[in-house]
């Protein structure tokens, strides 16, 4: 009946990045896909470390938070 379609809001996903020394940083990825695509976050986290957006250090694990 309606001629327009609702646009879905951009999905952002938050990840907790755990470091070897016990620190935790948070990373938000805009327009992230399904939970099965979470393996793609590792390279994104390393890229953001190089850009200075995440702290330096050895990343031990990355876990989806929200």
């Amino acid at each position: 009946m309606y001629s327009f379609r609702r646009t879905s809001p951009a999905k952002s996903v938050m990840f907790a990045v755990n470091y070897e020394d016990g620190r935790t940083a948070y990373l938000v990825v805009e327009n992230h896909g399904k939970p099965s695509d979470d393996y793609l976050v590792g390279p994104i986290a390393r890229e953001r470390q190089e850009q200075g957006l995440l702290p330096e250090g050895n990343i031990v694990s990355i876990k989806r938070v929200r």
Side-chain angles (χ1 to χ4, degrees):
M1 179 168 232
Y2 294 105
S3 62
F4 68 93
R5 188 170 51 156
R6 285 188 185 176
T7 58
S8 60
K11 293 184 178 182
S12 63
V13 180
M14 181 180 284
F15 293 91
V17 181
N18 298 310
Y19 290 89
E20 190 175 56
D21 60 359
R23 294 178 294 157
T24 301
Y26 293 94
L27 167 69
V28 176
V29 179
E30 297 294 330
N31 297 321
H32 186 66
K34 301 174 284 188
S36 62
D37 294 335
D38 287 354
Y39 71 94
L40 298 171
V41 178
I44 293 171
R46 284 190 280 292
E47 179 182 313
R48 294 204 183 167
Q49 270 187 323
E50 292 172 2
Q51 295 172 352
L53 299 173
L54 278 177
E56 292 295 321
N58 292 329
I59 296 174
V60 177
S61 67
I62 302 173
K63 183 179 178 184
R64 180 186 279 246
V65 177
R66 178 184 66 81

